[in-house]
Amino acid sequence: MADGRHRATQPVSNGYDAASLTHEFEQLMRTKRLNRLHEPSRSRTHSASPSPMSNSSIPPPPTRAPPPPPSLGSPTAAPSPKPTTSSALRGLPIMPSPPQDAASLKFYNLLKGLSVTPTKYENPGLLDEALSVIPLDRLYSEAEEESQIMQAQAASVAGKPEWGYQDCVIRALLRWFKGSFFQFVNNPPCSKCHMPTIAQGMTPPTPDETARGATRVELYRCSDTSCTAHERFPRYSDVWQLLQSRRGRVGEWANCFSMFCRAVGARVRWVWNSEDYVWTEVYSEHQRRWVHVDACEGAWDQPRLYTEGWQRKISYCVAFSIDGATDVTRRYVRNFSRHGSPRNRAPEEVVLWSIHEIRRKRRENMSKTDQRRLIKEDEREEKELRCYMASALAAEINNMLPQGLTSRREDQKHPGARQEASTEWLAARGHGNSGPDRSHEGR
């Protein structure tokens, strides 16, 4: 009896059922969407119908000619805007739709052309040439040592190592590539007197440069008035040529490093960013997810580097691999209201259709087993990207709560700790003066 009285006196708010509330919320959303769908039909049903006895109210027979345009001087000529299908179905999932206008078709052709880049990494002769340059014994020794340290650390807390052996191989490759192999070039020095040069614009490539894969050539003039020699800087997209030159900017760095990752047996993505930047993604079998790798910055698994580190706004990030394409913008832009740029190159339905079309063409000749494996991988990645959006939304809701409910004691004692740490991190990386836009020329 005492227990029964105690349960009866508890507040009702503490006895809620999460499952029932979720079910009621879903029912409410379904009802709201159905009401939106029925609004146009209701308005047509309740509109006044013409009288059958009046000859003047009978509408003229339909014709193929379009109605005359409204008069510009009449204030009542412009009809009130009606809700379109997209606005009425705003809460429903996006359905793929092929491009219908010139801008959408241009964007699809752009993605289709970019999707060819990772297919160049499958050339067996090119991969053998890359393996002859990579110090494999050194990389494997460093990876083995790092992997054993991680295993020991995980065993001390009865957990799982953060990265596997293959991940450690890529990390060692990243350190060697940035520190010993490739060179970043902004203005190439004069080949005669080694003085700095001044940019003079673009110049057409020579037949020899075109044969070696130069898409464009930058022209520079020596800053020494007694020399005045000109220096040509071809922008090569051919990976074999990059093995010989070993220099370039962000585009060359990402292109060559992605091929090296493929040479050591990793699954690779070449990520294109619409704001004129590129990087690499490597699949981690240990964590069963794609990992961000920026060879030019020496960054490993730092997807927030560009938005929260460089304070850059991003609209599109599309990852291309031998297996297709994926829109990975949500991995790099966690808060679209602060770091997102308008996605207005094509409707989202066209973007989704373009991604699916590239996947279909890449996978149509695969075995059913490989296709099923990739489909499961796509579903797992989509779930990961949705979790990023859910976490960002939860953070925004948390920021809307009163400060006393969300602040920790450490934050209350040191309110500027987070801002100071962020400033020190940016200053240490030197991104106050040299970010992704180290050169105004294209990459």
Side-chain angles (χ1 to χ4, degrees), residues 78-237:
S80 59
K82 297 181 179 180
T84 59
T85 305
S86 58
S87 62
L89 307 179
R90 189 174 301 168
L92 297 180
I94 299 175
M95 299 303 295
S97 175
Q100 303 292 339
D101 56 280
S104 300
L105 184 61
K106 180 180 179 181
F107 188 68
Y108 165 65
N109 291 331
L110 172 64
L111 297 181
K112 185 172 65 172
L114 294 172
S115 66
V116 181
T117 301
T119 61
K120 303 175 183 178
Y121 309 148
E122 304 301 318
N123 188 334
L126 178 64
L127 298 180
D128 291 341
E129 183 71 18
L131 288 176
S132 66
V133 176
I134 301 174
L136 294 176
D137 294 339
R138 168 187 167 183
L139 299 187
Y140 290 156
S141 176
E142 293 180 4
E144 181 67 25
E145 181 180 358
E146 186 179 20
S147 177
Q148 290 179 359
I149 294 175
M150 290 186 178
Q151 290 177 6
Q153 293 175 346
S156 63
V157 295
K160 179 182 177 182
E162 183 179 5
W163 303 106
Y165 174 74
Q166 181 66 19
D167 304 327
C168 295
V169 172
I170 302 299
R171 287 162 63 91
L173 176 65
L174 175 64
R175 292 190 293 267
W176 166 80
F177 186 87
K178 179 176 175 58
S180 304
F181 183 77
F182 222 74
Q183 178 186 3
F184 188 92
V185 175
N186 198 357
N187 285 31
C190 179
S191 58
K192 293 184 178 181
C193 62
H194 305 287
M195 291 292 291
T197 57
I198 303 173
Q200 300 295 303
M202 307 297 294
T203 184
T206 63
D208 180 64
E209 292 169 341
T210 304
R212 289 185 291 171
T215 55
R216 60 190 185 278
V217 177
E218 300 172 0
L219 186 63
Y220 294 86
R221 178 178 55 84
C222 181
S223 58
D224 189 357
T225 56
S226 62
C227 179
T228 65
H230 286 79
E231 193 73 20
R232 301 172 65 88
F233 182 43
R235 304 301 303 276
Y236 292 111
S237 60

Side-chain angles (χ1 to χ4, degrees), residues 185-433:
V185 175
N186 198 357
N187 285 31
C190 179
S191 58
K192 293 184 178 181
C193 62
H194 305 287
M195 291 292 291
T197 57
I198 303 173
Q200 300 295 303
M202 307 297 294
T203 184
T206 63
D208 180 64
E209 292 169 341
T210 304
R212 289 185 291 171
T215 55
R216 60 190 185 278
V217 177
E218 300 172 0
L219 186 63
Y220 294 86
R221 178 178 55 84
C222 181
S223 58
D224 189 357
T225 56
S226 62
C227 179
T228 65
H230 286 79
E231 193 73 20
R232 301 172 65 88
F233 182 43
R235 304 301 303 276
Y236 292 111
S237 60
D238 183 73
V239 190
W240 187 88
Q241 180 61 34
L242 295 178
L243 288 176
Q244 317 304 320
S245 65
R246 302 186 180 187
R247 67 174 189 170
R249 298 205 190 101
V250 177
E252 289 87 349
W253 279 68
N255 202 7
C256 191
F257 179 75
S258 299
M259 186 269 297
F260 275 3
C261 293
R262 190 73 187 102
V264 297
R267 295 177 57 196
V268 176
R269 277 178 173 175
W270 180 79
V271 184
W272 168 80
N273 169 232
S274 57
E275 281 68 36
D276 193 21
Y277 203 76
V278 288
W279 58 86
T280 309
E281 283 186 352
V282 178
Y283 190 78
S284 171
E285 296 289 348
H286 184 75
Q287 293 199 5
R288 301 181 68 190
R289 66 178 178 89
W290 289 95
V291 179
H292 157 260
V293 189
D294 191 333
C296 194
E297 294 296 322
W300 169 270
D301 197 23
Q302 299 180 23
R304 303 187 185 186
L305 170 66
Y306 313 112
T307 54
E308 301 177 19
W310 295 351
Q311 296 299 318
R312 203 175 194 191
K313 292 185 178 296
I314 291 178
S315 55
Y316 297 95
C317 293
V318 183
F320 300 98
S321 69
I322 191 63
D323 301 324
T326 305
D327 186 356
V328 293
T329 310
R330 289 172 288 177
R331 176 175 292 125
Y332 300 94
V333 185
R334 305 296 176 87
N335 191 329
F336 276 90
S337 61
R338 295 174 58 184
H339 304 123
S341 188
R343 294 167 59 99
N344 50 16
R345 293 202 178 188
E348 294 300 327
E349 295 84 357
V350 175
V351 176
L352 186 59
W353 181 89
S354 303
I355 296 295
H356 289 178
E357 184 67 12
I358 295 174
R359 284 182 184 176
R360 183 188 64 81
K361 291 183 178 180
R362 288 282 181 266
R363 303 177 183 181
E364 59 184 0
N365 296 326
M366 293 184 179
S367 63
K368 297 296 183 181
T369 303
D370 290 339
Q371 291 182 5
R372 287 193 294 267
R373 174 181 58 84
L374 292 174
I375 290 176
K376 291 182 179 179
E377 186 178 296
D378 295 337
E379 294 174 351
R380 188 165 58 247
E381 184 175 22
E382 178 63 24
K383 183 178 180 181
E384 174 194 347
L385 298 178
R386 288 178 179 175
C387 288
Y388 292 145
M389 293 295 98
S391 300
L393 181 60
E396 288 295 324
I397 296 176
N398 190 42
N399 293 334
M400 295 170 60
L401 297 176
Q403 188 69 20
L405 299 178
T406 58
S407 297
R408 296 178 299 177
R409 294 182 179 180
E410 293 82 359
D411 295 338
Q412 293 175 356
K413 292 180 181 179
H414 306 283
R418 292 185 179 180
Q419 181 65 27
E420 292 174 1
S422 176
T423 305
E424 292 175 359
W425 180 79
L426 289 173
R429 295 185 61 85
H431 285 305
N433 300 322

